[in-house]
Amino acid sequence: MRLLITGANRGIGAALADTLRARGNEVLGTARSTEGLLKLDVADPASPPALAAQLGEAPLDALICNAGVYFDKPETLDTGFPAQMWADMFAVNVTGVFLTVQAMLPLLERAATPKIMIISSQMGSNALAKGNALIYRASKAAALNLGSNLAVALKPRGIAVGIYHPGWVGTEMGGAGADLTPAQSAEGLADRLDALSLDATGCFETWDGRAHPY
């Protein structure tokens, strides 16, 4: 498969790139600064179309929307969560996902069995509301909703969409004490990508294949 992974310069994205490449796939990774990768700033509306033009006409078998930010961990309810932080996080975690999908649709539609993987989080689950990290939780809930609606919209075009919780992973974002290494999460997510089909489109699953409550 020919795959594109956003946010592939570190953490889960970098581990996914390594895992999928080791499985024999052609992996195209992106980052805001090139760092040896393709340049893509998902918060810049001009960036996804520019990357799509750079990729040419070859089919894209899978798009993995992994890029994300988490700025509001230390914010407090009474004085925190400023308006600009809401705008900045939603620009990456939600709008950036949509704009990247939209830009890559022509390439995905050229593939035989195209797939879109959206990395959300269990923190976007209404069933697991904890009353903290309000912006991150809201943005991941929106990404989950976006993925569910894209699954419906794109099924007639033959494009499967899956939304995934990668686990609590020991990355810069996940912090210390996490349950999983990036490599462990990536192995599971790579299996989920292999299993994703039109029959399962719209699924919200954990990295290890369990159905996750919305």
Side-chain angles (χ1 to χ4, degrees):
M1 290 194 292
R2 186 174 188 245
L3 311 155
L4 179 70
I5 305 175
T6 68
N9 55 313
R10 62 183 181 181
I12 296 169
L16 256 176
D18 290 342
T19 298
L20 290 167
R21 194 174 287 116
R23 295 188 182 194
N25 299 289
E26 178 188 355
V27 178
L28 308 171
T30 78
R32 280 181 295 179
S33 57
T34 54
E35 304 179 25
L37 303 172
L38 296 169
K39 184 174 178 57
L40 175 65
D41 181 354
V42 299
D44 176 2
S47 191
L51 176 59
Q54 181 183 344
L55 293 179
E57 301 295 320
L60 190 63
D61 297 291
L63 168 63
I64 301 175
C65 295
N66 165 75
V69 292
Y70 184 4
F71 300 143
D72 64 331
K73 187 181 292 188
E75 297 295 311
T76 59
L77 184 58
D78 291 337
T79 60
F81 304 104
Q84 190 59 52
M85 187 178 288
W86 283 88
D88 292 343
M89 288 180 65
F90 266 72
V92 175
N93 294 354
V94 187
T95 310
V97 172
F98 173 75
L99 294 177
T100 303
V101 170
Q102 186 179 55
M104 299 302 158
L105 277 179
L107 302 182
L108 288 162
E109 289 184 310
R110 295 190 182 106
T113 56
K115 306 178 183 186
I116 297 171
M117 170 179 272
I118 296 174
I119 305 301
S120 180
S121 170
Q122 69 176 14
M123 291 179 71
S125 168
N126 292 325
L128 297 176
K130 299 294 184 184
N132 64 344
L134 300 182
I135 307 175
Y136 186 76
R137 288 181 182 277
S139 71
K140 288 301 184 179
L144 172 56
N145 182 273
L146 173 61
S148 298
N149 279 281
L150 286 172
V152 175
L154 295 176
K155 187 173 184 178
R157 303 194 194 187
I159 301 174
V161 181
I163 310 100
Y164 300 92
H165 166 55
W168 182 17
V169 185
T171 64
E172 181 179 336
M173 184 183 294
D179 297 326
L180 300 170
T181 66
Q184 288 170 323
S185 176
E187 287 289 342
L189 290 171
D191 290 341
R192 304 284 73 73
L193 183 64
D194 286 342
L196 180 58
S197 68
L198 286 176
D199 289 337
T201 194
C203 63
F204 181 31
E205 295 180 346
T206 62
W207 65 281
D208 54 352
R210 291 172 288 124
H212 200 292
Y214 285 78

